[in-house]
Amino acid sequence: MAKGMRMVTVRLCALLLLVTVLMTGGAARAEDGYRLWLRNAPLSNAAQHKRVTVTVIGSDSPTVRLARDELQRGLTELRVAPHAAITLRKRVRSGERHGAFRIDGATITSASDTGLLYGAFALLRELGQGKPLATVRLDESPAYDLRMLNHWDNPDGHVERGYAGRSIFDWWHLPGHVDARMTDYARANASIGINGVVVNNVNARAMMLETRYIAKVKALADTFRPWGIRVYVSARFSAPRDIGRLKTADPLDPAVRAWWKAKADEIYAAIPDFGGFLVKANSEGQPGPQDYGRTHADGANMLAAAIGDRGTVIWRAFVYAAENKEDRAKQAFTEFQPLDGKFASNVVVQVKNGPIDFQPREPFHPLFGAMPKTRLSLELQITKEYLGFASHLAFLAPLFEEALDADTGRSGSVSRTVSVIAGVANTGSDRNWTGSHFDQANWYAFGRLAWNPKLASDQIAREWAAQAFSRDPAFLNAVVPMMLGSRDAVVDYMTPLGLAHVMGTGHHYGPAPWVSDLARPEWNPVYYHRADRDGIGFDRTPTGSNALAQYAPDVAKRLLADEELLLWFRRVSWDHRLKNGNTLWEELPRRYDRGVAAVERMRGTWATLAPHVDAQRHRAVADFLNIQRDEAQWWRDASLAYWSTVSGRALPTGHSAPRYPLSWYQAQNFPEAPGE
Ligand code: BDP
């Protein structure tokens, strides 16, 4: 092409681009989701600030400088007003919890640098939702000292139950190279108040404690520190044997105790603010103190002694054993409750929200409220192992809220019985961090609720959607209800009426209620639903496993009456009559159909929102909703085909027959399913 022609073409292209941008405004900017909820989309078309002044009084630290930079950048991007002057003031206030802050218009006050940083993010969050600067008044204090993400990331980059690509932690190049993404990750966490990060899988390799790995962890800790985040490591209990050349890992053996003490000293020499260890012991084949006839308390206290007052040992209560004939839902309580009062003061016992395993719906775990002399942590799963992975849109704030608000009947709600909140992270190397755009909302919701468990799901959804997509009320009024109903839709099309653990073997993708041939009884879906010709459900009343007795009597009564948990607690006949007058056999297909219809509605809603969302993200979400619709239908059809076969009943009239015979569903195989 001649030079002149080329110039004309270039000019034409530039003109075309300009016209497109002018015509479509911000919405058309290609967006890949990398900026999460920190997009700071302009509030007006006004020119950029001529001047943003941030004055810092009383402190000068890397953290305060980050707070200042964040305000400078955020206010400029938001274009709040032609001029803005903000003051960050560090001032002691007695009894203030670390990280607390106050905002009074343009002044942010805190006793800590981290509090000033949180205040900066909070101010931008308020402004981002359209509140005028002069009217912003906040007085915030985190409900818990420790708000942490647990990464199930392996050193080889694979993420257990990860649906967003590979691990964000590049162990191979650490410590020589710390990827810039680590700063963006820490910034995102700080913006929602997360202040602790466990960087490796609970199914841990002892290698993480080797000297060369300590150097890698230190590089991360140094990067995260200014953002107010402490680093923790999952410790393999058998490490003294695996890497320490000892013959035993018995927690009462003096050599073992000395090994852990020396290891802790080595770590603290490199990372003075190291958070501590997370331990999965004697669970799903992991080593633990019971291998030596010792208790969980013996194991936890040994590590607690090694760490001393420098950090925390977080000991998981997620335990069950194949050799144990007791109902799996009961085993953690049976093992841990009698140990109440036996744990050292720097031990936290971490309990999953429900007694089985992160199902779409579970009753709260009976250990909450039952260990008043022990510090407890609530473990939630942000990654959606059992809720359709990243491709199903399921906003988890209502699930988290349900867990936090559950009344234990002993010492208030679950949120009041815990002192730590942990979430199994959903981050990965995908450009949008979480595998899908809407799964960012689950990371966000987790952080917000760990900061303030009283926040309502709809407020969180609104905040997030306004920042991540659009603050236009027309958009929010459609998208927020869609998000709020999405988890119930999953419950309906996967596990209605208290069903649980009916997912595919290993990967947990798709329906497989028929599976009955796995080595351990409690790995089989049939163990959980117990369906046959006469009925369905797990009897956890006194005539069955009596798991109900682990709850306070009033709570047990309430749980038993809750039809959403019917088949969790009771075995009933297919003709069991529900409160709405339907028999169970009539109600089941109604629930599945309701779930599928809800996804269909979500697709419709999203289609109408195209004018509010950039084309790239709109398309990606629409594609995933199509996948979700097809998979919801698959769940419904496969489940009903199976229930119909075991019960020997034809589907009630008014419900369409499954698309394929049961054998077709049973023959499906997904060796490529991620996350296993
Ligand atoms: C289950 C997961 C498994 C985890 C385990 C745990 O399937 O990958 O290792 O929980 O929490 O939900 O330890």
Side-chain angles (χ1 to χ4, degrees), residues 37 122 125-126 128-129 131 138 140 191-192 395 444-445 448-449 455-471 476 480 483:
W37 49 87
R125 180 187 308 133
E126 296 290 304
Q129 288 169 80
K131 296 198 190 130
L138 287 178
E140 298 246 340
S191 76
I192 47 176
F395 179 52
Y444 183 86
R448 297 289 285 135
L449 284 166
L455 282 179
S457 294
D458 66 341
Q459 182 189 330
I460 298 171
R462 196 161 270 275
E463 277 181 9
W464 173 80
Q467 296 170 89
F469 282 114
S470 161
R471 57 178 82 85
L476 294 175
V480 169
M483 290 171 74

mmCIF file of all heavy atoms in Angstrom, residues 37 122 125-126 128-129 131 138 140 191-192 395 444-445 448-449 455-471 476 480 483:
data_model
loop_
_atom_site.group_PDB
_atom_site.id
_atom_site.type_symbol
_atom_site.label_atom_id
_atom_site.label_comp_id
_atom_site.label_asym_id
_atom_site.label_seq_id
_atom_site.Cartn_x
_atom_site.Cartn_y
_atom_site.Cartn_z
ATOM 1 N N TRP A 37 -14.329 -4.844 41.169
ATOM 2 C CA TRP A 37 -15.259 -3.799 41.615
ATOM 3 C C TRP A 37 -14.523 -2.472 41.816
ATOM 4 O O TRP A 37 -15.056 -1.548 42.407
ATOM 5 C CB TRP A 37 -15.935 -4.228 42.920
ATOM 6 C CG TRP A 37 -14.940 -4.721 43.937
ATOM 7 C CD1 TRP A 37 -14.252 -3.976 44.840
ATOM 8 C CD2 TRP A 37 -14.494 -6.073 44.115
ATOM 9 N NE1 TRP A 37 -13.406 -4.776 45.569
ATOM 10 C CE2 TRP A 37 -13.537 -6.070 45.153
ATOM 11 C CE3 TRP A 37 -14.813 -7.286 43.487
ATOM 12 C CZ2 TRP A 37 -12.892 -7.239 45.580
ATOM 13 C CZ3 TRP A 37 -14.168 -8.437 43.919
ATOM 14 C CH2 TRP A 37 -13.227 -8.409 44.952
ATOM 15 N N ALA A 122 -13.452 2.683 51.524
ATOM 16 C CA ALA A 122 -14.872 2.834 51.870
ATOM 17 C C ALA A 122 -15.426 4.136 51.291
ATOM 18 O O ALA A 122 -16.540 4.177 50.780
ATOM 19 C CB ALA A 122 -15.052 2.803 53.385
ATOM 20 N N ARG A 125 -15.996 3.699 47.708
ATOM 21 C CA ARG A 125 -17.177 2.835 47.507
ATOM 22 C C ARG A 125 -18.463 3.665 47.612
ATOM 23 O O ARG A 125 -19.373 3.533 46.804
ATOM 24 C CB ARG A 125 -17.167 1.735 48.571
ATOM 25 C CG ARG A 125 -18.336 0.761 48.486
ATOM 26 C CD ARG A 125 -18.349 -0.196 49.681
ATOM 27 N NE ARG A 125 -17.070 -0.851 49.860
ATOM 28 C CZ ARG A 125 -16.437 -0.972 51.029
ATOM 29 N NH1 ARG A 125 -16.962 -0.482 52.139
ATOM 30 N NH2 ARG A 125 -15.284 -1.582 51.095
ATOM 31 N N GLU A 126 -18.490 4.540 48.610
ATOM 32 C CA GLU A 126 -19.680 5.389 48.794
ATOM 33 C C GLU A 126 -19.839 6.350 47.613
ATOM 34 O O GLU A 126 -20.927 6.489 47.066
ATOM 35 C CB GLU A 126 -19.561 6.196 50.093
ATOM 36 C CG GLU A 126 -19.526 5.347 51.362
ATOM 37 C CD GLU A 126 -20.855 4.684 51.665
ATOM 38 O OE1 GLU A 126 -21.848 5.409 51.769
ATOM 39 O OE2 GLU A 126 -20.897 3.437 51.752
ATOM 40 N N GLY A 128 -18.637 6.060 44.708
ATOM 41 C CA GLY A 128 -18.895 5.281 43.494
ATOM 42 C C GLY A 128 -20.364 4.943 43.327
ATOM 43 O O GLY A 128 -20.823 4.648 42.227
ATOM 44 N N GLN A 129 -21.082 4.963 44.430
ATOM 45 C CA GLN A 129 -22.511 4.692 44.330
ATOM 46 C C GLN A 129 -23.322 5.978 44.179
ATOM 47 O O GLN A 129 -24.554 5.960 44.283
ATOM 48 C CB GLN A 129 -22.975 3.926 45.559
ATOM 49 C CG GLN A 129 -22.470 2.496 45.528
ATOM 50 C CD GLN A 129 -22.691 1.832 46.845
ATOM 51 O OE1 GLN A 129 -23.791 1.397 47.114
ATOM 52 N NE2 GLN A 129 -21.666 1.811 47.661
ATOM 53 N N LYS A 131 -23.017 8.857 46.110
ATOM 54 C CA LYS A 131 -23.270 9.735 47.259
ATOM 55 C C LYS A 131 -22.360 10.958 47.196
ATOM 56 O O LYS A 131 -21.167 10.821 46.949
ATOM 57 C CB LYS A 131 -23.008 8.974 48.568
ATOM 58 C CG LYS A 131 -23.972 7.838 48.726
ATOM 59 C CD LYS A 131 -24.055 7.327 50.144
ATOM 60 C CE LYS A 131 -24.869 6.037 50.102
ATOM 61 N NZ LYS A 131 -24.246 4.920 50.783
ATOM 62 N N LEU A 138 -19.395 7.722 58.015
ATOM 63 C CA LEU A 138 -19.290 6.296 58.362
ATOM 64 C C LEU A 138 -18.520 6.169 59.654
ATOM 65 O O LEU A 138 -17.588 6.929 59.917
ATOM 66 C CB LEU A 138 -18.546 5.515 57.268
ATOM 67 C CG LEU A 138 -19.250 5.224 55.933
ATOM 68 C CD1 LEU A 138 -18.292 4.492 55.008
ATOM 69 C CD2 LEU A 138 -20.510 4.389 56.146
ATOM 70 N N GLU A 140 -17.005 2.815 61.204
ATOM 71 C CA GLU A 140 -16.964 1.371 60.950
ATOM 72 C C GLU A 140 -15.878 0.690 61.756
ATOM 73 O O GLU A 140 -14.785 1.227 61.935
ATOM 74 C CB GLU A 140 -16.678 1.125 59.464
ATOM 75 C CG GLU A 140 -17.741 1.663 58.554
ATOM 76 C CD GLU A 140 -18.476 0.553 57.826
ATOM 77 O OE1 GLU A 140 -17.939 -0.566 57.728
ATOM 78 O OE2 GLU A 140 -19.610 0.817 57.371
ATOM 79 N N SER A 191 -9.450 -3.793 49.756
ATOM 80 C CA SER A 191 -10.600 -2.928 49.482
ATOM 81 C C SER A 191 -11.865 -3.444 50.164
ATOM 82 O O SER A 191 -12.820 -2.696 50.349
ATOM 83 C CB SER A 191 -10.831 -2.795 47.975
ATOM 84 O OG SER A 191 -11.433 -3.966 47.448
ATOM 85 N N ILE A 192 -11.878 -4.729 50.514
ATOM 86 C CA ILE A 192 -13.052 -5.278 51.200
ATOM 87 C C ILE A 192 -12.681 -5.781 52.603
ATOM 88 O O ILE A 192 -13.444 -6.502 53.232
ATOM 89 C CB ILE A 192 -13.725 -6.407 50.371
ATOM 90 C CG1 ILE A 192 -12.696 -7.412 49.843
ATOM 91 C CG2 ILE A 192 -14.510 -5.794 49.217
ATOM 92 C CD1 ILE A 192 -13.305 -8.592 49.095
ATOM 93 N N PHE A 395 -25.241 -16.246 43.287
ATOM 94 C CA PHE A 395 -24.725 -15.230 44.215
ATOM 95 C C PHE A 395 -24.826 -15.813 45.619
ATOM 96 O O PHE A 395 -25.915 -16.174 46.081
ATOM 97 C CB PHE A 395 -25.553 -13.955 44.065
ATOM 98 C CG PHE A 395 -25.144 -12.837 44.984
ATOM 99 C CD1 PHE A 395 -23.827 -12.411 45.063
ATOM 100 C CD2 PHE A 395 -26.092 -12.189 45.770
ATOM 101 C CE1 PHE A 395 -23.454 -11.371 45.900
ATOM 102 C CE2 PHE A 395 -25.733 -11.146 46.612
ATOM 103 C CZ PHE A 395 -24.412 -10.741 46.682
ATOM 104 N N TYR A 444 -16.342 -10.580 46.732
ATOM 105 C CA TYR A 444 -16.720 -9.304 47.324
ATOM 106 C C TYR A 444 -17.652 -9.508 48.525
ATOM 107 O O TYR A 444 -17.431 -8.958 49.610
ATOM 108 C CB TYR A 444 -17.410 -8.446 46.256
ATOM 109 C CG TYR A 444 -17.789 -7.064 46.706
ATOM 110 C CD1 TYR A 444 -16.882 -6.012 46.636
ATOM 111 C CD2 TYR A 444 -19.068 -6.795 47.200
ATOM 112 C CE1 TYR A 444 -17.238 -4.731 47.046
ATOM 113 C CE2 TYR A 444 -19.419 -5.526 47.607
ATOM 114 C CZ TYR A 444 -18.505 -4.491 47.534
ATOM 115 O OH TYR A 444 -18.852 -3.230 47.952
ATOM 116 N N ALA A 445 -18.676 -10.331 48.334
ATOM 117 C CA ALA A 445 -19.669 -10.551 49.394
ATOM 118 C C ALA A 445 -19.008 -11.183 50.616
ATOM 119 O O ALA A 445 -19.307 -10.829 51.757
ATOM 120 C CB ALA A 445 -20.794 -11.448 48.891
ATOM 121 N N ARG A 448 -17.105 -8.433 52.487
ATOM 122 C CA ARG A 448 -18.009 -7.474 53.128
ATOM 123 C C ARG A 448 -18.680 -8.091 54.363
ATOM 124 O O ARG A 448 -18.842 -7.429 55.381
ATOM 125 C CB ARG A 448 -19.051 -6.973 52.120
ATOM 126 C CG ARG A 448 -18.467 -6.203 50.947
ATOM 127 C CD ARG A 448 -17.931 -4.843 51.351
ATOM 128 N NE ARG A 448 -19.004 -3.894 51.602
ATOM 129 C CZ ARG A 448 -19.051 -3.074 52.649
ATOM 130 N NH1 ARG A 448 -18.084 -3.093 53.557
ATOM 131 N NH2 ARG A 448 -20.053 -2.245 52.797
ATOM 132 N N LEU A 449 -19.080 -9.360 54.251
ATOM 133 C CA LEU A 449 -19.751 -9.998 55.395
ATOM 134 C C LEU A 449 -18.765 -10.353 56.500
ATOM 135 O O LEU A 449 -19.118 -10.377 57.680
ATOM 136 C CB LEU A 449 -20.512 -11.244 54.938
ATOM 137 C CG LEU A 449 -21.827 -10.945 54.204
ATOM 138 C CD1 LEU A 449 -22.340 -12.184 53.496
ATOM 139 C CD2 LEU A 449 -22.883 -10.397 55.167
ATOM 140 N N LEU A 455 -24.543 -7.022 57.355
ATOM 141 C CA LEU A 455 -24.918 -6.451 56.054
ATOM 142 C C LEU A 455 -25.921 -7.368 55.365
ATOM 143 O O LEU A 455 -25.829 -8.585 55.450
ATOM 144 C CB LEU A 455 -23.685 -6.318 55.158
ATOM 145 C CG LEU A 455 -22.743 -5.149 55.428
ATOM 146 C CD1 LEU A 455 -21.579 -5.200 54.447
ATOM 147 C CD2 LEU A 455 -23.481 -3.821 55.295
ATOM 148 N N ALA A 456 -26.856 -6.764 54.667
ATOM 149 C CA ALA A 456 -27.865 -7.562 53.970
ATOM 150 C C ALA A 456 -27.393 -7.887 52.557
ATOM 151 O O ALA A 456 -26.700 -7.098 51.925
ATOM 152 C CB ALA A 456 -29.178 -6.791 53.918
ATOM 153 N N SER A 457 -27.805 -9.063 52.097
ATOM 154 C CA SER A 457 -27.376 -9.517 50.770
ATOM 155 C C SER A 457 -27.721 -8.509 49.680
ATOM 156 O O SER A 457 -26.964 -8.323 48.736
ATOM 157 C CB SER A 457 -28.033 -10.851 50.433
ATOM 158 O OG SER A 457 -27.571 -11.844 51.303
ATOM 159 N N ASP A 458 -28.900 -7.880 49.803
ATOM 160 C CA ASP A 458 -29.263 -6.991 48.695
ATOM 161 C C ASP A 458 -28.415 -5.731 48.677
ATOM 162 O O ASP A 458 -28.077 -5.226 47.615
ATOM 163 C CB ASP A 458 -30.774 -6.706 48.628
ATOM 164 C CG ASP A 458 -31.283 -5.926 49.817
ATOM 165 O OD1 ASP A 458 -30.590 -5.901 50.861
ATOM 166 O OD2 ASP A 458 -32.374 -5.353 49.705
ATOM 167 N N GLN A 459 -28.003 -5.282 49.846
ATOM 168 C CA GLN A 459 -27.088 -4.136 49.845
ATOM 169 C C GLN A 459 -25.759 -4.507 49.183
ATOM 170 O O GLN A 459 -25.188 -3.756 48.400
ATOM 171 C CB GLN A 459 -26.829 -3.624 51.265
ATOM 172 C CG GLN A 459 -25.910 -2.402 51.247
ATOM 173 C CD GLN A 459 -25.440 -1.964 52.626
ATOM 174 O OE1 GLN A 459 -26.146 -2.156 53.620
ATOM 175 N NE2 GLN A 459 -24.254 -1.387 52.679
ATOM 176 N N ILE A 460 -25.284 -5.709 49.525
ATOM 177 C CA ILE A 460 -23.998 -6.149 48.975
ATOM 178 C C ILE A 460 -24.099 -6.300 47.458
ATOM 179 O O ILE A 460 -23.217 -5.870 46.712
ATOM 180 C CB ILE A 460 -23.564 -7.476 49.635
ATOM 181 C CG1 ILE A 460 -23.379 -7.270 51.145
ATOM 182 C CG2 ILE A 460 -22.294 -8.000 49.010
ATOM 183 C CD1 ILE A 460 -23.164 -8.547 51.922
ATOM 184 N N ALA A 461 -25.193 -6.906 47.013
ATOM 185 C CA ALA A 461 -25.373 -7.099 45.572
ATOM 186 C C ALA A 461 -25.401 -5.743 44.860
ATOM 187 O O ALA A 461 -24.784 -5.548 43.817
ATOM 188 C CB ALA A 461 -26.674 -7.854 45.314
ATOM 189 N N ARG A 462 -26.121 -4.809 45.464
ATOM 190 C CA ARG A 462 -26.277 -3.480 44.872
ATOM 191 C C ARG A 462 -24.929 -2.768 44.781
ATOM 192 O O ARG A 462 -24.560 -2.235 43.740
ATOM 193 C CB ARG A 462 -27.258 -2.686 45.735
ATOM 194 C CG ARG A 462 -27.841 -1.456 45.136
ATOM 195 C CD ARG A 462 -29.109 -1.046 45.885
ATOM 196 N NE ARG A 462 -30.277 -1.667 45.303
ATOM 197 C CZ ARG A 462 -30.949 -1.168 44.262
ATOM 198 N NH1 ARG A 462 -30.558 -0.049 43.693
ATOM 199 N NH2 ARG A 462 -31.997 -1.791 43.768
ATOM 200 N N GLU A 463 -24.193 -2.787 45.913
ATOM 201 C CA GLU A 463 -22.859 -2.160 45.938
ATOM 202 C C GLU A 463 -21.964 -2.738 44.851
ATOM 203 O O GLU A 463 -21.310 -2.029 44.109
ATOM 204 C CB GLU A 463 -22.157 -2.499 47.263
ATOM 205 C CG GLU A 463 -22.484 -1.656 48.430
ATOM 206 C CD GLU A 463 -21.682 -2.115 49.650
ATOM 207 O OE1 GLU A 463 -20.767 -2.962 49.525
ATOM 208 O OE2 GLU A 463 -21.986 -1.612 50.739
ATOM 209 N N TRP A 464 -21.954 -4.062 44.832
ATOM 210 C CA TRP A 464 -21.034 -4.729 43.910
ATOM 211 C C TRP A 464 -21.402 -4.430 42.461
ATOM 212 O O TRP A 464 -20.561 -4.042 41.652
ATOM 213 C CB TRP A 464 -21.025 -6.244 44.156
ATOM 214 C CG TRP A 464 -20.213 -6.931 43.111
ATOM 215 C CD1 TRP A 464 -18.845 -7.033 43.071
ATOM 216 C CD2 TRP A 464 -20.700 -7.557 41.912
ATOM 217 N NE1 TRP A 464 -18.461 -7.681 41.929
ATOM 218 C CE2 TRP A 464 -19.576 -8.013 41.199
ATOM 219 C CE3 TRP A 464 -21.968 -7.773 41.376
ATOM 220 C CZ2 TRP A 464 -19.682 -8.683 39.977
ATOM 221 C CZ3 TRP A 464 -22.086 -8.433 40.161
ATOM 222 C CH2 TRP A 464 -20.956 -8.876 39.477
ATOM 223 N N ALA A 465 -22.683 -4.624 42.154
ATOM 224 C CA ALA A 465 -23.114 -4.458 40.766
ATOM 225 C C ALA A 465 -22.912 -3.017 40.300
ATOM 226 O O ALA A 465 -22.544 -2.773 39.150
ATOM 227 C CB ALA A 465 -24.573 -4.875 40.620
ATOM 228 N N ALA A 466 -23.118 -2.062 41.215
ATOM 229 C CA ALA A 466 -22.931 -0.656 40.845
ATOM 230 C C ALA A 466 -21.471 -0.393 40.495
ATOM 231 O O ALA A 466 -21.166 0.341 39.557
ATOM 232 C CB ALA A 466 -23.371 0.254 41.981
ATOM 233 N N GLN A 467 -20.574 -0.997 41.256
ATOM 234 C CA GLN A 467 -19.156 -0.754 41.019
ATOM 235 C C GLN A 467 -18.611 -1.585 39.856
ATOM 236 O O GLN A 467 -17.779 -1.126 39.084
ATOM 237 C CB GLN A 467 -18.355 -1.056 42.283
ATOM 238 C CG GLN A 467 -18.689 -0.134 43.449
ATOM 239 C CD GLN A 467 -18.052 -0.622 44.741
ATOM 240 O OE1 GLN A 467 -16.935 -0.264 45.055
ATOM 241 N NE2 GLN A 467 -18.743 -1.476 45.457
ATOM 242 N N ALA A 468 -19.089 -2.829 39.767
ATOM 243 C CA ALA A 468 -18.525 -3.721 38.754
ATOM 244 C C ALA A 468 -19.141 -3.483 37.380
ATOM 245 O O ALA A 468 -18.488 -3.689 36.358
ATOM 246 C CB ALA A 468 -18.723 -5.180 39.165
ATOM 247 N N PHE A 469 -20.408 -3.078 37.357
ATOM 248 C CA PHE A 469 -21.078 -2.915 36.059
ATOM 249 C C PHE A 469 -21.597 -1.494 35.834
ATOM 250 O O PHE A 469 -21.022 -0.739 35.078
ATOM 251 C CB PHE A 469 -22.225 -3.928 35.930
ATOM 252 C CG PHE A 469 -21.761 -5.310 35.582
ATOM 253 C CD1 PHE A 469 -21.911 -6.361 36.478
ATOM 254 C CD2 PHE A 469 -21.183 -5.562 34.350
ATOM 255 C CE1 PHE A 469 -21.489 -7.641 36.142
ATOM 256 C CE2 PHE A 469 -20.756 -6.841 34.001
ATOM 257 C CZ PHE A 469 -20.907 -7.883 34.902
ATOM 258 N N SER A 470 -22.695 -1.162 36.503
ATOM 259 C CA SER A 470 -23.307 0.141 36.225
ATOM 260 C C SER A 470 -24.141 0.579 37.412
ATOM 261 O O SER A 470 -24.856 -0.225 38.004
ATOM 262 C CB SER A 470 -24.210 0.031 34.995
ATOM 263 O OG SER A 470 -25.110 1.116 34.968
ATOM 264 N N ARG A 471 -24.062 1.872 37.715
ATOM 265 C CA ARG A 471 -24.854 2.367 38.847
ATOM 266 C C ARG A 471 -26.212 2.888 38.393
ATOM 267 O O ARG A 471 -26.963 3.435 39.195
ATOM 268 C CB ARG A 471 -24.074 3.431 39.620
ATOM 269 C CG ARG A 471 -23.627 4.613 38.802
ATOM 270 C CD ARG A 471 -22.912 5.625 39.670
ATOM 271 N NE ARG A 471 -21.522 5.304 39.911
ATOM 272 C CZ ARG A 471 -20.506 5.617 39.100
ATOM 273 N NH1 ARG A 471 -20.740 6.235 37.964
ATOM 274 N NH2 ARG A 471 -19.266 5.306 39.401
ATOM 275 N N LEU A 476 -29.591 -1.708 38.100
ATOM 276 C CA LEU A 476 -29.536 -2.301 39.450
ATOM 277 C C LEU A 476 -30.873 -2.932 39.837
ATOM 278 O O LEU A 476 -30.904 -4.011 40.441
ATOM 279 C CB LEU A 476 -29.129 -1.245 40.471
ATOM 280 C CG LEU A 476 -27.695 -0.724 40.308
ATOM 281 C CD1 LEU A 476 -27.426 0.408 41.290
ATOM 282 C CD2 LEU A 476 -26.684 -1.857 40.514
ATOM 283 N N VAL A 480 -30.068 -6.838 40.654
ATOM 284 C CA VAL A 480 -29.990 -7.218 42.068
ATOM 285 C C VAL A 480 -30.981 -8.347 42.401
ATOM 286 O O VAL A 480 -30.588 -9.368 42.973
ATOM 287 C CB VAL A 480 -30.136 -5.985 42.987
ATOM 288 C CG1 VAL A 480 -30.317 -6.392 44.441
ATOM 289 C CG2 VAL A 480 -28.920 -5.081 42.832
ATOM 290 N N MET A 483 -29.669 -11.584 41.051
ATOM 291 C CA MET A 483 -28.598 -12.152 41.871
ATOM 292 C C MET A 483 -29.173 -12.790 43.132
ATOM 293 O O MET A 483 -28.789 -13.904 43.516
ATOM 294 C CB MET A 483 -27.586 -11.061 42.258
ATOM 295 C CG MET A 483 -26.756 -10.560 41.083
ATOM 296 S SD MET A 483 -25.771 -9.105 41.519
ATOM 297 C CE MET A 483 -24.483 -9.850 42.536
#
